[in-house]
Amino acid sequence: MANNVITVTSPLLPPLDEFENLLKDIWDRKWLTNNGHYHQELEKALAEYLGVEYISLFTNGTLPLITALQAMRITGEVITTPYSFVATTHSIWWNGLSPVFVDVDPETGNLDPQRIEEAITPKTTAIMPVHVYGNPCDIEAIQEIADRYGLAVIYDAAHAFNVKMNGRTILDAGDMNTLSFHATKTYNTVEGGALICHDARTKKRIDYLKNFGFAGETTVVAPGINSKMDEIRSAYGLCNLRLIDNAIAARKKIAQKYRTALANIPGITMFKERDNVTYNYSYFPIFVNEAEFGMSRDALYEKMRSQDVLGRRYFYPLISDFAIYRGLPSASKSNLPIASRMAQEVICLPLYAELTDADVDKVLGTILIR
Ligand SMILES: *Cc1c(COP(=O)(O)O)cnc(C)c1O
């Protein structure tokens, strides 16, 4: 791609020499996968860094969602958000379960607790919320509903790597939390992911499930999947973990520059930042109100592209608008007015550590110069 094109994201890459040293060690050990040295090291390092006790590495961020539902033996209906990446709903489908879409709160973009309660039926057994853009859900309200109705809560925390509230990780909310380490995410292992749980027995079961259900050399206890992270990507992940604090600090500066510059532009809105949340600045969504801004979201998106600035309409379309899900009763636009409006108005601006001041000014120029 030409140098002057500003992409929406760019992967955090480990220093080649550091990665190469670990590769040489892997070559010496001749152990490439199946809970090897670097797999164990990365699980330990991530548990410590994220402030969680039990974490299992996976080969991507979709299989931990599928495995979490399987591990908890979820049945019937699962309440979830249409305003997310398709993998959230796909994981429900892959377990033969019925997704039930519920609208989001306009202040956060996350599942609206009150609407969750309205959608519960005798078949509901779980809630799968998403901390969209790393913006924390109303964890307490969701837990209260789950406790009252006896529901499991599995968070798709793919965007919430190291997000904290009141100084504490949010990755221990509910029953389980999943992460994605895809190349486009704040922290990446090329492809990768993880499943976080609360106790050693559950982790043991998760580790069986990600290895075909093997509980020993000759024992298979469940129809598990193969979702083991290999040694090469585990080593890559260890190198990247050393860079992540600086990368997030750089993202924060860029996000603040966007926020200040766009604060008083009629027709452009952003999510408020909460004082008690430590964000990871994984995305910078803006919402374009056509009537007030005088230009539609799509027109602005095309204008940005014409100036070599690649925004992303993320999340558009809604998951519930894809042909595979739009026949569900809960997928109707009238059931999801807020999420539908957000999907029509959103653009995520370019955000990654290497963006220069000039890049940021160029991005802002596409919006501010009329
Ligand atoms: C990226 C993402 C996933 C899936 O992760 P992969 O690692 O790409 O499989 C799941 N949910 C959300 C919200 C995501 O953004």
Side-chain angles (χ1 to χ4, degrees), residues 264-307:
N264 297 306
I265 309 302
I268 301 284
T269 51
M270 301 167 276
F271 287 125
K272 286 192 184 68
E273 279 200 24
R274 286 171 270 176
D275 290 339
N276 63 340
V277 176
T278 311
Y279 294 93
N280 63 8
Y281 303 93
S282 48
Y283 301 89
F284 199 92
I286 62 167
F287 297 89
V288 184
N289 179 303
E290 181 172 0
E292 285 175 43
F293 188 64
M295 186 187 254
S296 72
R297 182 274 311 270
D298 287 339
L300 177 58
Y301 171 77
E302 292 301 337
K303 181 185 171 204
M304 292 170 84
R305 287 182 74 89
S306 74
Q307 297 180 27

mmCIF file of all heavy atoms in Angstrom, residues 264-307:
data_model
loop_
_atom_site.group_PDB
_atom_site.id
_atom_site.type_symbol
_atom_site.label_atom_id
_atom_site.label_comp_id
_atom_site.label_asym_id
_atom_site.label_seq_id
_atom_site.Cartn_x
_atom_site.Cartn_y
_atom_site.Cartn_z
ATOM 1 N N ASN A 264 -16.472 19.879 19.925
ATOM 2 C CA ASN A 264 -17.621 20.778 19.710
ATOM 3 C C ASN A 264 -18.031 20.873 18.254
ATOM 4 O O ASN A 264 -18.388 21.937 17.772
ATOM 5 C CB ASN A 264 -17.290 22.170 20.265
ATOM 6 C CG ASN A 264 -17.065 22.116 21.761
ATOM 7 O OD1 ASN A 264 -17.915 21.621 22.501
ATOM 8 N ND2 ASN A 264 -15.900 22.568 22.204
ATOM 9 N N ILE A 265 -17.964 19.747 17.552
ATOM 10 C CA ILE A 265 -18.370 19.750 16.147
ATOM 11 C C ILE A 265 -19.825 19.291 16.070
ATOM 12 O O ILE A 265 -20.129 18.150 16.431
ATOM 13 C CB ILE A 265 -17.476 18.802 15.308
ATOM 14 C CG1 ILE A 265 -15.982 19.086 15.553
ATOM 15 C CG2 ILE A 265 -17.834 18.894 13.830
ATOM 16 C CD1 ILE A 265 -15.541 20.496 15.248
ATOM 17 N N PRO A 266 -20.729 20.174 15.612
ATOM 18 C CA PRO A 266 -22.149 19.786 15.531
ATOM 19 C C PRO A 266 -22.319 18.535 14.661
ATOM 20 O O PRO A 266 -21.767 18.473 13.562
ATOM 21 C CB PRO A 266 -22.819 20.999 14.883
ATOM 22 C CG PRO A 266 -21.870 22.143 15.112
ATOM 23 C CD PRO A 266 -20.500 21.558 15.143
ATOM 24 N N GLY A 267 -23.056 17.567 15.201
ATOM 25 C CA GLY A 267 -23.330 16.356 14.424
ATOM 26 C C GLY A 267 -22.319 15.248 14.622
ATOM 27 O O GLY A 267 -22.501 14.144 14.117
ATOM 28 N N ILE A 268 -21.224 15.517 15.344
ATOM 29 C CA ILE A 268 -20.243 14.463 15.649
ATOM 30 C C ILE A 268 -20.295 14.188 17.151
ATOM 31 O O ILE A 268 -20.105 15.106 17.954
ATOM 32 C CB ILE A 268 -18.793 14.889 15.293
ATOM 33 C CG1 ILE A 268 -18.667 15.236 13.801
ATOM 34 C CG2 ILE A 268 -17.774 13.821 15.706
ATOM 35 C CD1 ILE A 268 -18.641 14.052 12.858
ATOM 36 N N THR A 269 -20.571 12.949 17.519
ATOM 37 C CA THR A 269 -20.556 12.602 18.946
ATOM 38 C C THR A 269 -19.580 11.454 19.206
ATOM 39 O O THR A 269 -19.227 10.702 18.289
ATOM 40 C CB THR A 269 -21.952 12.220 19.476
ATOM 41 O OG1 THR A 269 -22.501 11.229 18.614
ATOM 42 C CG2 THR A 269 -22.880 13.414 19.529
ATOM 43 N N MET A 270 -19.148 11.373 20.454
ATOM 44 C CA MET A 270 -18.222 10.320 20.892
ATOM 45 C C MET A 270 -18.739 9.776 22.213
ATOM 46 O O MET A 270 -19.523 10.438 22.887
ATOM 47 C CB MET A 270 -16.820 10.927 21.124
ATOM 48 C CG MET A 270 -16.232 11.587 19.911
ATOM 49 S SD MET A 270 -14.774 12.596 20.321
ATOM 50 C CE MET A 270 -15.531 14.140 20.835
ATOM 51 N N PHE A 271 -18.281 8.581 22.603
ATOM 52 C CA PHE A 271 -18.621 8.083 23.939
ATOM 53 C C PHE A 271 -17.888 8.920 24.972
ATOM 54 O O PHE A 271 -16.751 9.320 24.752
ATOM 55 C CB PHE A 271 -18.205 6.620 24.098
ATOM 56 C CG PHE A 271 -19.080 5.668 23.332
ATOM 57 C CD1 PHE A 271 -18.534 4.784 22.415
ATOM 58 C CD2 PHE A 271 -20.450 5.645 23.540
ATOM 59 C CE1 PHE A 271 -19.341 3.902 21.713
ATOM 60 C CE2 PHE A 271 -21.264 4.765 22.844
ATOM 61 C CZ PHE A 271 -20.706 3.888 21.930
ATOM 62 N N LYS A 272 -18.551 9.161 26.107
ATOM 63 C CA LYS A 272 -17.882 9.856 27.215
ATOM 64 C C LYS A 272 -16.863 8.920 27.849
ATOM 65 O O LYS A 272 -17.077 7.716 27.910
ATOM 66 C CB LYS A 272 -18.911 10.258 28.273
ATOM 67 C CG LYS A 272 -19.777 11.413 27.849
ATOM 68 C CD LYS A 272 -20.567 11.961 29.036
ATOM 69 C CE LYS A 272 -21.513 13.051 28.576
ATOM 70 N NZ LYS A 272 -22.621 12.519 27.717
ATOM 71 N N GLU A 273 -15.766 9.497 28.328
ATOM 72 C CA GLU A 273 -14.819 8.699 29.107
ATOM 73 C C GLU A 273 -15.211 8.787 30.569
ATOM 74 O O GLU A 273 -15.496 9.868 31.076
ATOM 75 C CB GLU A 273 -13.391 9.211 28.913
ATOM 76 C CG GLU A 273 -12.767 8.702 27.648
ATOM 77 C CD GLU A 273 -11.242 8.783 27.660
ATOM 78 O OE1 GLU A 273 -10.641 8.795 28.756
ATOM 79 O OE2 GLU A 273 -10.668 8.826 26.570
ATOM 80 N N ARG A 274 -15.203 7.630 31.231
ATOM 81 C CA ARG A 274 -15.541 7.620 32.661
ATOM 82 C C ARG A 274 -14.267 7.720 33.486
ATOM 83 O O ARG A 274 -13.265 7.083 33.166
ATOM 84 C CB ARG A 274 -16.285 6.324 33.006
ATOM 85 C CG ARG A 274 -17.714 6.318 32.491
ATOM 86 C CD ARG A 274 -18.359 4.954 32.655
ATOM 87 N NE ARG A 274 -18.132 4.111 31.482
ATOM 88 C CZ ARG A 274 -18.528 2.838 31.395
ATOM 89 N NH1 ARG A 274 -19.110 2.259 32.425
ATOM 90 N NH2 ARG A 274 -18.318 2.149 30.292
ATOM 91 N N ASP A 275 -14.331 8.507 34.572
ATOM 92 C CA ASP A 275 -13.138 8.755 35.401
ATOM 93 C C ASP A 275 -12.588 7.497 36.053
ATOM 94 O O ASP A 275 -11.392 7.392 36.293
ATOM 95 C CB ASP A 275 -13.462 9.775 36.508
ATOM 96 C CG ASP A 275 -13.687 11.168 35.927
ATOM 97 O OD1 ASP A 275 -13.218 11.401 34.800
ATOM 98 O OD2 ASP A 275 -14.343 11.996 36.593
ATOM 99 N N ASN A 276 -13.480 6.542 36.380
ATOM 100 C CA ASN A 276 -13.017 5.368 37.132
ATOM 101 C C ASN A 276 -12.587 4.204 36.228
ATOM 102 O O ASN A 276 -12.337 3.106 36.693
ATOM 103 C CB ASN A 276 -14.117 4.891 38.098
ATOM 104 C CG ASN A 276 -15.364 4.429 37.354
ATOM 105 O OD1 ASN A 276 -15.584 4.780 36.197
ATOM 106 N ND2 ASN A 276 -16.182 3.643 38.020
ATOM 107 N N VAL A 277 -12.502 4.461 34.909
ATOM 108 C CA VAL A 277 -12.115 3.393 33.979
ATOM 109 C C VAL A 277 -10.721 3.658 33.419
ATOM 110 O O VAL A 277 -10.407 4.780 33.030
ATOM 111 C CB VAL A 277 -13.134 3.284 32.814
ATOM 112 C CG1 VAL A 277 -12.676 2.250 31.789
ATOM 113 C CG2 VAL A 277 -14.521 2.933 33.338
ATOM 114 N N THR A 278 -9.864 2.638 33.422
ATOM 115 C CA THR A 278 -8.580 2.705 32.727
ATOM 116 C C THR A 278 -8.782 2.026 31.375
ATOM 117 O O THR A 278 -8.959 0.811 31.311
ATOM 118 C CB THR A 278 -7.479 1.958 33.508
ATOM 119 O OG1 THR A 278 -7.521 2.397 34.861
ATOM 120 C CG2 THR A 278 -6.102 2.247 32.920
ATOM 121 N N TYR A 279 -8.798 2.830 30.323
ATOM 122 C CA TYR A 279 -9.105 2.317 28.987
ATOM 123 C C TYR A 279 -7.852 1.757 28.310
ATOM 124 O O TYR A 279 -6.726 2.060 28.724
ATOM 125 C CB TYR A 279 -9.679 3.439 28.117
ATOM 126 C CG TYR A 279 -11.038 3.939 28.587
ATOM 127 C CD1 TYR A 279 -11.137 5.021 29.450
ATOM 128 C CD2 TYR A 279 -12.202 3.313 28.173
ATOM 129 C CE1 TYR A 279 -12.368 5.482 29.887
ATOM 130 C CE2 TYR A 279 -13.444 3.762 28.601
ATOM 131 C CZ TYR A 279 -13.520 4.854 29.456
ATOM 132 O OH TYR A 279 -14.738 5.293 29.887
ATOM 133 N N ASN A 280 -8.062 0.997 27.235
ATOM 134 C CA ASN A 280 -6.906 0.522 26.453
ATOM 135 C C ASN A 280 -6.827 1.227 25.091
ATOM 136 O O ASN A 280 -5.948 0.937 24.300
ATOM 137 C CB ASN A 280 -6.927 -1.004 26.279
ATOM 138 C CG ASN A 280 -8.148 -1.480 25.500
ATOM 139 O OD1 ASN A 280 -8.909 -0.680 24.955
ATOM 140 N ND2 ASN A 280 -8.332 -2.784 25.432
ATOM 141 N N TYR A 281 -7.784 2.119 24.834
ATOM 142 C CA TYR A 281 -7.781 2.922 23.599
ATOM 143 C C TYR A 281 -7.643 2.025 22.363
ATOM 144 O O TYR A 281 -6.825 2.258 21.489
ATOM 145 C CB TYR A 281 -6.688 4.010 23.666
ATOM 146 C CG TYR A 281 -6.889 4.874 24.879
ATOM 147 C CD1 TYR A 281 -6.244 4.589 26.073
ATOM 148 C CD2 TYR A 281 -7.802 5.918 24.855
ATOM 149 C CE1 TYR A 281 -6.497 5.342 27.215
ATOM 150 C CE2 TYR A 281 -8.057 6.670 25.990
ATOM 151 C CZ TYR A 281 -7.396 6.380 27.163
ATOM 152 O OH TYR A 281 -7.653 7.119 28.277
ATOM 153 N N SER A 282 -8.478 0.987 22.332
ATOM 154 C CA SER A 282 -8.393 0.028 21.232
ATOM 155 C C SER A 282 -9.064 0.551 19.967
ATOM 156 O O SER A 282 -8.685 0.141 18.875
ATOM 157 C CB SER A 282 -8.985 -1.315 21.643
ATOM 158 O OG SER A 282 -10.237 -1.143 22.251
ATOM 159 N N TYR A 283 -10.050 1.428 20.106
ATOM 160 C CA TYR A 283 -10.753 1.980 18.939
ATOM 161 C C TYR A 283 -11.104 3.428 19.227
ATOM 162 O O TYR A 283 -11.206 3.823 20.388
ATOM 163 C CB TYR A 283 -12.054 1.211 18.663
ATOM 164 C CG TYR A 283 -11.858 -0.255 18.399
ATOM 165 C CD1 TYR A 283 -11.853 -1.174 19.449
ATOM 166 C CD2 TYR A 283 -11.649 -0.741 17.105
ATOM 167 C CE1 TYR A 283 -11.646 -2.535 19.218
ATOM 168 C CE2 TYR A 283 -11.451 -2.086 16.868
ATOM 169 C CZ TYR A 283 -11.449 -2.978 17.930
ATOM 170 O OH TYR A 283 -11.245 -4.309 17.699
ATOM 171 N N PHE A 284 -11.332 4.208 18.159
ATOM 172 C CA PHE A 284 -11.874 5.554 18.376
ATOM 173 C C PHE A 284 -13.098 5.766 17.485
ATOM 174 O O PHE A 284 -13.000 6.287 16.376
ATOM 175 C CB PHE A 284 -10.830 6.652 18.137
ATOM 176 C CG PHE A 284 -11.245 7.940 18.788
ATOM 177 C CD1 PHE A 284 -10.835 8.249 20.071
ATOM 178 C CD2 PHE A 284 -12.101 8.831 18.139
ATOM 179 C CE1 PHE A 284 -11.255 9.411 20.712
ATOM 180 C CE2 PHE A 284 -12.530 9.997 18.764
ATOM 181 C CZ PHE A 284 -12.096 10.282 20.050
ATOM 182 N N PRO A 285 -14.277 5.329 17.986
ATOM 183 C CA PRO A 285 -15.498 5.490 17.185
ATOM 184 C C PRO A 285 -16.049 6.910 17.286
ATOM 185 O O PRO A 285 -16.040 7.502 18.370
ATOM 186 C CB PRO A 285 -16.469 4.507 17.825
ATOM 187 C CG PRO A 285 -16.016 4.395 19.255
ATOM 188 C CD PRO A 285 -14.522 4.617 19.260
ATOM 189 N N ILE A 286 -16.498 7.457 16.147
ATOM 190 C CA ILE A 286 -17.281 8.696 16.173
ATOM 191 C C ILE A 286 -18.624 8.390 15.509
ATOM 192 O O ILE A 286 -18.734 7.450 14.717
ATOM 193 C CB ILE A 286 -16.584 9.869 15.436
ATOM 194 C CG1 ILE A 286 -16.392 9.545 13.943
ATOM 195 C CG2 ILE A 286 -15.269 10.216 16.104
ATOM 196 C CD1 ILE A 286 -15.996 10.761 13.110
ATOM 197 N N PHE A 287 -19.639 9.158 15.878
ATOM 198 C CA PHE A 287 -20.982 8.954 15.326
ATOM 199 C C PHE A 287 -21.402 10.211 14.580
ATOM 200 O O PHE A 287 -21.298 11.318 15.119
ATOM 201 C CB PHE A 287 -21.954 8.587 16.445
ATOM 202 C CG PHE A 287 -21.590 7.296 17.114
ATOM 203 C CD1 PHE A 287 -20.726 7.271 18.203
ATOM 204 C CD2 PHE A 287 -22.056 6.086 16.607
ATOM 205 C CE1 PHE A 287 -20.345 6.071 18.796
ATOM 206 C CE2 PHE A 287 -21.683 4.879 17.186
ATOM 207 C CZ PHE A 287 -20.824 4.875 18.278
ATOM 208 N N VAL A 288 -21.824 10.017 13.338
ATOM 209 C CA VAL A 288 -22.127 11.131 12.441
ATOM 210 C C VAL A 288 -23.640 11.254 12.286
ATOM 211 O O VAL A 288 -24.281 10.366 11.715
ATOM 212 C CB VAL A 288 -21.495 10.898 11.051
ATOM 213 C CG1 VAL A 288 -21.720 12.102 10.146
ATOM 214 C CG2 VAL A 288 -20.005 10.564 11.181
ATOM 215 N N ASN A 289 -24.204 12.339 12.819
ATOM 216 C CA ASN A 289 -25.626 12.603 12.650
ATOM 217 C C ASN A 289 -25.797 13.442 11.382
ATOM 218 O O ASN A 289 -25.374 14.602 11.336
ATOM 219 C CB ASN A 289 -26.161 13.345 13.880
ATOM 220 C CG ASN A 289 -27.632 13.668 13.753
ATOM 221 O OD1 ASN A 289 -28.057 14.324 12.800
ATOM 222 N ND2 ASN A 289 -28.416 13.209 14.701
ATOM 223 N N GLU A 290 -26.406 12.834 10.362
ATOM 224 C CA GLU A 290 -26.461 13.459 9.036
ATOM 225 C C GLU A 290 -27.103 14.845 9.071
ATOM 226 O O GLU A 290 -26.575 15.805 8.490
ATOM 227 C CB GLU A 290 -27.217 12.555 8.050
ATOM 228 C CG GLU A 290 -27.271 13.154 6.657
ATOM 229 C CD GLU A 290 -27.836 12.203 5.608
ATOM 230 O OE1 GLU A 290 -28.198 11.062 5.962
ATOM 231 O OE2 GLU A 290 -27.906 12.606 4.445
ATOM 232 N N ALA A 291 -28.247 14.974 9.770
ATOM 233 C CA ALA A 291 -28.969 16.252 9.783
ATOM 234 C C ALA A 291 -28.113 17.367 10.384
ATOM 235 O O ALA A 291 -28.054 18.474 9.850
ATOM 236 C CB ALA A 291 -30.274 16.101 10.567
ATOM 237 N N GLU A 292 -27.427 17.052 11.489
ATOM 238 C CA GLU A 292 -26.647 18.093 12.169
ATOM 239 C C GLU A 292 -25.292 18.334 11.526
ATOM 240 O O GLU A 292 -24.791 19.456 11.490
ATOM 241 C CB GLU A 292 -26.424 17.715 13.645
ATOM 242 C CG GLU A 292 -27.647 17.888 14.510
ATOM 243 C CD GLU A 292 -27.395 17.374 15.922
ATOM 244 O OE1 GLU A 292 -26.314 17.643 16.473
ATOM 245 O OE2 GLU A 292 -28.281 16.672 16.450
ATOM 246 N N PHE A 293 -24.681 17.277 11.014
ATOM 247 C CA PHE A 293 -23.341 17.414 10.439
ATOM 248 C C PHE A 293 -23.415 17.924 8.993
ATOM 249 O O PHE A 293 -22.459 18.487 8.458
ATOM 250 C CB PHE A 293 -22.604 16.075 10.495
ATOM 251 C CG PHE A 293 -21.154 16.148 10.093
ATOM 252 C CD1 PHE A 293 -20.236 16.882 10.832
ATOM 253 C CD2 PHE A 293 -20.707 15.473 8.954
ATOM 254 C CE1 PHE A 293 -18.890 16.945 10.454
ATOM 255 C CE2 PHE A 293 -19.370 15.543 8.563
ATOM 256 C CZ PHE A 293 -18.459 16.277 9.322
ATOM 257 N N GLY A 294 -24.573 17.671 8.364
ATOM 258 C CA GLY A 294 -24.746 18.137 6.988
ATOM 259 C C GLY A 294 -24.132 17.201 5.969
ATOM 260 O O GLY A 294 -23.937 17.564 4.802
ATOM 261 N N MET A 295 -23.828 16.008 6.393
ATOM 262 C CA MET A 295 -23.226 15.013 5.504
ATOM 263 C C MET A 295 -23.496 13.657 6.144
ATOM 264 O O MET A 295 -23.443 13.542 7.374
ATOM 265 C CB MET A 295 -21.715 15.278 5.445
ATOM 266 C CG MET A 295 -20.955 14.438 4.452
ATOM 267 S SD MET A 295 -19.162 14.714 4.639
ATOM 268 C CE MET A 295 -18.817 15.679 3.224
ATOM 269 N N SER A 296 -23.819 12.650 5.347
ATOM 270 C CA SER A 296 -24.102 11.344 5.937
ATOM 271 C C SER A 296 -22.807 10.662 6.354
ATOM 272 O O SER A 296 -21.727 11.046 5.906
ATOM 273 C CB SER A 296 -24.833 10.457 4.927
ATOM 274 O OG SER A 296 -23.934 10.059 3.910
ATOM 275 N N ARG A 297 -22.953 9.634 7.184
ATOM 276 C CA ARG A 297 -21.780 8.857 7.598
ATOM 277 C C ARG A 297 -21.076 8.296 6.373
ATOM 278 O O ARG A 297 -19.849 8.401 6.254
ATOM 279 C CB ARG A 297 -22.230 7.734 8.552
ATOM 280 C CG ARG A 297 -21.089 6.867 9.106
ATOM 281 C CD ARG A 297 -20.688 5.710 8.226
ATOM 282 N NE ARG A 297 -21.758 4.901 7.752
ATOM 283 C CZ ARG A 297 -22.232 3.826 8.408
ATOM 284 N NH1 ARG A 297 -21.714 3.459 9.553
ATOM 285 N NH2 ARG A 297 -23.220 3.110 7.877
ATOM 286 N N ASP A 298 -21.870 7.729 5.446
ATOM 287 C CA ASP A 298 -21.240 7.109 4.276
ATOM 288 C C ASP A 298 -20.547 8.141 3.402
ATOM 289 O O ASP A 298 -19.486 7.863 2.825
ATOM 290 C CB ASP A 298 -22.279 6.313 3.471
ATOM 291 C CG ASP A 298 -22.672 5.033 4.196
ATOM 292 O OD1 ASP A 298 -21.894 4.573 5.063
ATOM 293 O OD2 ASP A 298 -23.764 4.494 3.907
ATOM 294 N N ALA A 299 -21.126 9.332 3.307
ATOM 295 C CA ALA A 299 -20.487 10.387 2.512
ATOM 296 C C ALA A 299 -19.162 10.798 3.155
ATOM 297 O O ALA A 299 -18.153 10.990 2.459
ATOM 298 C CB ALA A 299 -21.413 11.589 2.371
ATOM 299 N N LEU A 300 -19.153 10.909 4.483
ATOM 300 C CA LEU A 300 -17.903 11.256 5.178
ATOM 301 C C LEU A 300 -16.868 10.131 5.014
ATOM 302 O O LEU A 300 -15.685 10.384 4.756
ATOM 303 C CB LEU A 300 -18.167 11.523 6.665
ATOM 304 C CG LEU A 300 -16.922 11.837 7.517
ATOM 305 C CD1 LEU A 300 -16.161 13.059 6.997
ATOM 306 C CD2 LEU A 300 -17.299 12.048 8.989
ATOM 307 N N TYR A 301 -17.338 8.898 5.127
ATOM 308 C CA TYR A 301 -16.464 7.730 4.965
ATOM 309 C C TYR A 301 -15.809 7.749 3.575
ATOM 310 O O TYR A 301 -14.598 7.536 3.455
ATOM 311 C CB TYR A 301 -17.316 6.469 5.166
ATOM 312 C CG TYR A 301 -16.647 5.171 4.833
ATOM 313 C CD1 TYR A 301 -15.728 4.597 5.708
ATOM 314 C CD2 TYR A 301 -16.951 4.494 3.642
ATOM 315 C CE1 TYR A 301 -15.119 3.392 5.402
ATOM 316 C CE2 TYR A 301 -16.350 3.294 3.335
ATOM 317 C CZ TYR A 301 -15.436 2.738 4.217
ATOM 318 O OH TYR A 301 -14.832 1.547 3.904
ATOM 319 N N GLU A 302 -16.606 8.056 2.543
ATOM 320 C CA GLU A 302 -16.062 8.099 1.177
ATOM 321 C C GLU A 302 -15.119 9.288 1.008
ATOM 322 O O GLU A 302 -14.096 9.184 0.325
ATOM 323 C CB GLU A 302 -17.196 8.173 0.142
ATOM 324 C CG GLU A 302 -18.056 6.915 0.046
ATOM 325 C CD GLU A 302 -17.260 5.650 -0.314
ATOM 326 O OE1 GLU A 302 -16.159 5.760 -0.899
ATOM 327 O OE2 GLU A 302 -17.747 4.542 0.013
ATOM 328 N N LYS A 303 -15.462 10.409 1.622
ATOM 329 C CA LYS A 303 -14.588 11.584 1.554
ATOM 330 C C LYS A 303 -13.226 11.258 2.189
ATOM 331 O O LYS A 303 -12.166 11.602 1.642
ATOM 332 C CB LYS A 303 -15.245 12.764 2.289
ATOM 333 C CG LYS A 303 -14.417 14.054 2.261
ATOM 334 C CD LYS A 303 -15.075 15.146 3.104
ATOM 335 C CE LYS A 303 -14.163 16.350 3.267
ATOM 336 N NZ LYS A 303 -14.506 17.128 4.475
ATOM 337 N N MET A 304 -13.257 10.576 3.334
ATOM 338 C CA MET A 304 -12.007 10.183 3.988
ATOM 339 C C MET A 304 -11.181 9.290 3.063
ATOM 340 O O MET A 304 -9.975 9.503 2.881
ATOM 341 C CB MET A 304 -12.301 9.454 5.312
ATOM 342 C CG MET A 304 -12.900 10.353 6.376
ATOM 343 S SD MET A 304 -13.508 9.458 7.830
ATOM 344 C CE MET A 304 -12.001 9.299 8.730
ATOM 345 N N ARG A 305 -11.835 8.318 2.463
ATOM 346 C CA ARG A 305 -11.138 7.398 1.545
ATOM 347 C C ARG A 305 -10.512 8.150 0.374
ATOM 348 O O ARG A 305 -9.402 7.833 -0.045
ATOM 349 C CB ARG A 305 -12.112 6.342 1.002
ATOM 350 C CG ARG A 305 -12.502 5.311 2.008
ATOM 351 C CD ARG A 305 -13.425 4.274 1.382
ATOM 352 N NE ARG A 305 -12.696 3.379 0.494
ATOM 353 C CZ ARG A 305 -12.123 2.248 0.895
ATOM 354 N NH1 ARG A 305 -12.200 1.880 2.154
ATOM 355 N NH2 ARG A 305 -11.473 1.485 0.047
ATOM 356 N N SER A 306 -11.246 9.154 -0.134
ATOM 357 C CA SER A 306 -10.739 9.894 -1.296
ATOM 358 C C SER A 306 -9.480 10.681 -0.911
ATOM 359 O O SER A 306 -8.698 11.070 -1.773
ATOM 360 C CB SER A 306 -11.819 10.833 -1.839
ATOM 361 O OG SER A 306 -11.974 11.936 -0.964
ATOM 362 N N GLN A 307 -9.293 10.902 0.411
ATOM 363 C CA GLN A 307 -8.076 11.592 0.868
ATOM 364 C C GLN A 307 -7.085 10.616 1.504
ATOM 365 O O GLN A 307 -6.243 10.997 2.334
ATOM 366 C CB GLN A 307 -8.467 12.703 1.851
ATOM 367 C CG GLN A 307 -9.325 13.777 1.188
ATOM 368 C CD GLN A 307 -9.729 14.891 2.153
ATOM 369 O OE1 GLN A 307 -9.035 15.173 3.120
ATOM 370 N NE2 GLN A 307 -10.864 15.515 1.875
#
